[in-house]
Amino acid sequence: MDGFLNATVLLSNFVLVPGLAYGAQLALGALGVTLVYRVLRFANLSHGDLMAFGAMLGVLSTWALQAAGVSIAPLPTALLALPLAILGTALMSLFIETAVYRHHRLRRSAPAIFMIVSVGVMFMLNGLVRVVIGPDDQRFADGARFIVRARDFEAMTGLSEGLSIRVSQGITFAVAMAAVAALFYFLNRSRAGKAMRAYADNEDLALLSGIDPDRVVRHTWIIAAALAAIAGTLYGLDKSFKPFTYFQLLLPVFAAAIVGGIGNPVGAIVGGFVVSFSEIGLTYAYKKFLTYLVPPAWAPEGLMQLIATDYKFAISFAILVIVLLIRPTGILPGRVL
Amino acid sequence: MSPRALLLFAAMAVLLLAVGQFQSWTVALTIFNLCLISAVMALGVNVQWGYAGLFNVGTMGFAAIGGLAAMLVSVPPVQAAWTAGGGGMILSALIIAATAAAVVAARRWLAPPLRGAATVALILIGFLAARHVFGPAADAIENVDAARFGFLGGLGMPIIFSWLVGGLFAAGAAWFIGKIALGLRTDYLAIATLGISEIIIAILRNEDWLTRGVKNVTGLNRPVPREVDLQQASWFLDLSARLGVDPVPFSSLFVKLCYAGLFATVLLLIVVLLERAYHSPWGRMMRALRDNPKAAAAMGKDVKWRQLQAFVLGSAIVGVAGAMLTTLDGQFTPGSYNPLRYTFLIWVMVILGGSGNNLGSVLGGFLIWFLWVQAEPAGRILMEIISSQVPKDFAFRVHFLEASAHLRLFLMGFILILALRFFPQGLLPEEQSRRRPRHVP
C-alpha cells in the first residue's frame, strides 16, 4: 500500500502539479491566440513575443515595487505588478493595432499577409524586449517559495516521497482560473462580449446591426494582451524570465489552440492541458515510479523515459499533426467563441 | 533586366564598394559572400511563397540539413566509432525500415477496426526494438575518444560535393514533410513547418553520434586554398609583388574572392534556371495555382502534387545555401541555428525584394543582409548620439550601449511592416501584376 501511495505522490509531484501549472500558462496563451484568430481571422505569430513583452513589464514593475519597499509577503510582489503589466501590454497592443494592423484590416488584406505583418511585429517586440531588459535570464520571484514542502509532507504522512507545491504553481493556477472565469463572463454576459461574438460569427450581419467594428477589434486586442501579460508573467514567475523562451512557447501555444479547435475558447483550455500533460508525461522518467509499484526483482534498469526532454517540441508538434490529420477541426468542434 | 532593377542593383554595389572604401575590403567581401548565400536562400523561399504561395516558415531546418550534409560529406570517417557502434546503427536503421514496411503492409491488407490497432502496435514494437539496439550503439560511438570524435564521421570527400548533397538531403526531407503537411491550410502549414524546423534542430543538437551535437565539428576541409599555403606559394608571391601589395592581407582577400566566385556561380546558375522555369508553362501553371487553386483544380491540375514540387524545389535550394554557409564557416555548429536569423530574416528578404520576382529576392537578400550586418555599428552610433548628453557612467547609458546590438531585430521588423504597408509588391514587383489580392480559403 505504501508503495502505491508513494508512487502516487511521486507522480503528482513531478507530473500532475507541474502539468497543471504549465497547462494553465499554455491555456492562457492559447486563449489569446484563439480570440485574435476568431475575431481578426489570422494566426498571430507575434503572440509569443507579446507574452515576453508583458512579462518584461511584470518584471520591471516588480523591481520598481521591490525598490519602493512594497511587499505582500508571503505572496510574490509580481502579483501586485500584474495589473501594471496588463495595462502596459494592452496599450502596446492598441498602439500596434492602430499603427500596423488597422491599415490591412481596412484594405481587407489576405490572412497570409496579416501573418507576415505579425512576423514584423514579432521582430519589433523581440528587439524591443531585448533592448530594454537584455537577452539574459532574470529572476523576480520573492516571498514564500512553497505552499507544501516535501519535508513537511513526509513528516506529516510518514511516506518516503514528499509532495511539494510551489507558491508560483498555486498562484498560476488560481490566477488562471480567475482570468478564465472573467473572460467567459465577459463573452457570455456582457454587451461588448456579445458584440464580439456576433462580429466573429458574421462580420457583415454584425455591421448591419450597428456594431462598431473598431470597438470590437479594440476589445479583442485588450483581452488578448491581458491574457498574454498574465500568461507571460506567470510563466516567468514559475520558471524564469528569458526573452527567447517566449518565442519558443509559440509552438506549444499554437498546438494547444489548434488541438482544442481554433476559435473555441473551451478548446484552447482543453488543448493547453492536453499539450502540457503530453509533454511532461512523455518526457518523465518512470523508473522510480515503477520501482514503487513492482516487486524489487522486476525493477526496471533504464530510466524508463519514453522520449528525451530535448525533444519536447516534437511532442507538441506530433499532437498537432495527429489531430490535424485525424480530426482537422480539433477536439471540440462546433460551437466557436 | 528592367531599368529599375539595374538602378537598384547599382545602388547596392555602391553600398558594398563604400564599405570597402571606408571600412575595409575584408569586411566588404565578408558581407558580399554572405549576401550571395542569403540571396540563394531567399530564392528558395521565393519558389515556395512567390511561385506557389506556400507559407513555409521552416527554412531554418532545411538550411541546417544542408549544413549537416556539408559536414557529413567532408569529414573523414572515424573507423573506431564504426567498429564500436556502426553495426548497431545499421541494425536499428534496418529495424526502422522493417517497421515502416510492416506498417505500410498492415495498412494495405487489414480492414479498418484492426488496421488502426495494428498500426499503433507495430509502431510501438518497432520503436522499442529500435531503441533497444540504438541506445547502446549510440553510447558506444559517443564514447570513442569523446574529446576529439565521439561520432561516426563522414565520407572524407571534398566539401564542394556537399552543395549538391545538401540540396538532395533537403529535398528528401521536404518530400517527406510535404507529404504530411501540405494539405493543411496556410496558417496551419506555417505552424507545422515552424515545428518541424525546431525538431530538426533538436535532432542535430542532441544526436551526438551523428553530429557531435553542441560540441560542434570544426576544421572542415575547404574548396579553396588556405591562406598559409598561399603565402608560401611562389606564384602567389609573384602575383602580389606584381600588384605591389603585402601578400599576408592579400592572401585573405584572395581566399574570400575565390569563395565569392564559387558562390556567385551557384547563384547565377540558380537564377537562370528559376527564370526559365518561371517563364515556362510550368511557371504559368504554378501562378495559376497560387492565385486560384480551386480554378486550377477545376482545370485538371493536381494541386497537391504541384505544390509538393515547389516545396521540394524551394527546400532543395535552401539546402544548397545551407551547405554553402557551413562551407564558408568551416565548421558545423548545430547550436547556432536560430529561427529569427535563418527563417524570418529570409522572409523579410523575399517580401522586401518582391515575392514572385527572382531578381527581387536576390536584391532583397543583398540589401537585408547588408542592413543586418551594418545595423549593429549604426545602432551603436545612434545610441552614442542619443546618450551623448548623459554622463559617461550613467547606468542607463551603459545599458543602452550594450543593448544596441539588438536594435537590428527592431529594424528588420520595421522594414517588413513598412514594406507591406507602402509597397506590398516589393522593391522589384512581379512582372505580371496581381490585380486581386491572393485568394486564400
Side-chain angles (χ1 to χ4, degrees), chain A residues 108 195 198-199 202-213 216:
Chain A
R108 294 193 173 236
Y199 180 84
N202 187 331
E203 196 179 327
D204 295 328
L205 210 55
L207 296 183
L208 201 63
S209 50
I211 289 172
D212 177 4
V216 168

Side-chain angles (χ1 to χ4, degrees), chain A residues 161-174:
Chain A
E161 279 303 323
L163 179 70
S164 81
I165 302 177
R166 279 185 282 133
V167 172
S168 60
Q169 291 167 331
I171 285 182
T172 295
F173 203 69

Side-chain angles (χ1 to χ4, degrees), chain B residues 56-409:
Chain B
N56 170 20
V57 281
T59 319
M60 167 179 77
F62 298 108
I65 289 178
L68 173 71
M71 190 275 277
L72 288 181
V73 165
S74 67
V75 170
V78 181
Q79 292 301 344
W82 274 101
T83 37
M89 279 300 154
I90 293 172
L91 185 61
S92 58
L94 286 178
I95 293 176
I96 292 171
T99 311
V103 167
V104 170
R107 294 196 71 82
R108 178 163 300 168
W109 302 114
L110 291 178
L114 210 58
R115 187 194 288 170
T119 309
V120 172
L122 280 172
I123 289 177
L124 207 65
I125 293 170
F127 175 73
L128 291 177
R131 259 190 65 153
H132 189 72
V133 185
F134 173 83
D139 286 343
I141 292 170
E142 281 162 26
N143 284 331
V144 175
D145 200 357
R148 277 203 305 152
F149 302 117
F151 74 130
L152 283 175
L155 297 175
M157 293 194 344
I159 199 164
I160 198 149
F161 290 119
S162 73
W163 299 1
L164 200 61
V165 177
L168 290 176
F169 271 25
W175 188 83
F176 186 70
I177 293 165
K179 273 287 187 192
I180 302 175
L182 275 184
L184 304 176
R185 287 177 2 204
T186 312
D187 33 14
Y188 289 178
L189 180 67
I191 300 299
T193 46
L194 189 67
I196 291 168
S197 68
E198 290 286 356
I199 292 174
I200 292 174
I201 299 301
I203 292 174
L204 296 184
R205 218 175 274 173
N206 294 302
E207 298 305 320
D208 286 16
W209 59 274
L210 181 67
T211 64
R212 288 197 89 212
V214 287
K215 285 179 283 181
N216 301 339
V217 182
T218 52
L220 303 180
N221 66 40
R222 298 164 75 167
V224 297
R226 289 184 185 277
E227 288 87 345
V228 274
D229 296 337
L230 278 179
Q231 287 157 25
Q232 310 289 322
S234 55
W235 66 268
F236 185 76
L237 293 174
D238 284 349
L239 181 69
S240 33
R242 198 169 311 149
L243 293 171
V245 287
D246 186 355
V248 176
F250 183 53
S251 67
S252 129
L253 275 185
F254 186 82
V255 168
K256 289 196 164 62
L257 275 173
C258 291
Y259 273 122
L262 288 174
F263 295 155
T265 314
V266 173
L267 177 66
L268 214 63
L269 193 70
I270 292 179
V271 168
V272 169
L273 291 178
L274 284 184
E275 274 296 297
R276 292 199 56 133
Y278 185 87
H279 293 290
S280 72
W282 182 83
R284 202 156 53 236
M285 179 194 59
M286 292 313 291
R287 290 194 291 284
L289 227 120
R290 169 196 75 194
D291 291 335
N292 196 338
K294 280 180 190 149
M299 296 293 290
K301 304 295 175 203
D302 186 347
V303 176
K304 216 173 159 185
W305 164 235
R306 297 300 177 180
Q307 286 184 336
L308 187 64
Q309 285 179 343
F311 189 70
V312 169
L313 180 62
S315 300
I317 294 173
V318 173
V320 171
M324 298 199 313
L325 189 64
T326 302
T327 307
L328 181 65
D329 286 345
Q331 55 179 354
F332 180 59
T333 52
S336 68
Y337 289 96
N338 152 357
L340 288 176
R341 153 78 179 86
Y342 286 93
T343 297
F344 293 111
L345 194 67
I346 313 297
W347 268 86
V348 180
M349 295 168 184
V350 174
I351 300 292
L352 179 74
S355 36
N357 187 326
N358 291 316
L359 288 179
S361 296
V362 174
L363 180 72
F366 270 72
L367 186 58
I368 289 297
W369 183 259
F370 183 86
L371 291 175
W372 179 253
V373 174
Q374 294 292 344
E376 210 174 319
R380 202 171 313 122
I381 293 168
L382 183 73
M383 287 295 192
E384 293 271 6
I385 295 170
I386 291 174
S387 57
S388 58
Q389 299 304 314
V390 205
K392 274 227 173 346
D393 48 352
F394 193 58
F396 272 110
R397 175 173 178 178
V398 177
H399 174 83
F400 275 109
L401 284 180
E402 277 172 11
S404 60
H406 304 297
L407 268 180
R408 61 184 184 181
L409 292 168

Side-chain angles (χ1 to χ4, degrees), chain A residues 37 99 132 305-306 310-311, chain B residues 131 185 187 206-207 399 421:
Chain A
Y37 185 86
V132 173
Q305 188 182 21
L306 284 168
D310 308 301
Y311 291 121
Chain B
R131 259 190 65 153
R185 287 177 2 204
D187 33 14
N206 294 302
E207 298 305 320
H399 174 83
R421 173 144 196 174

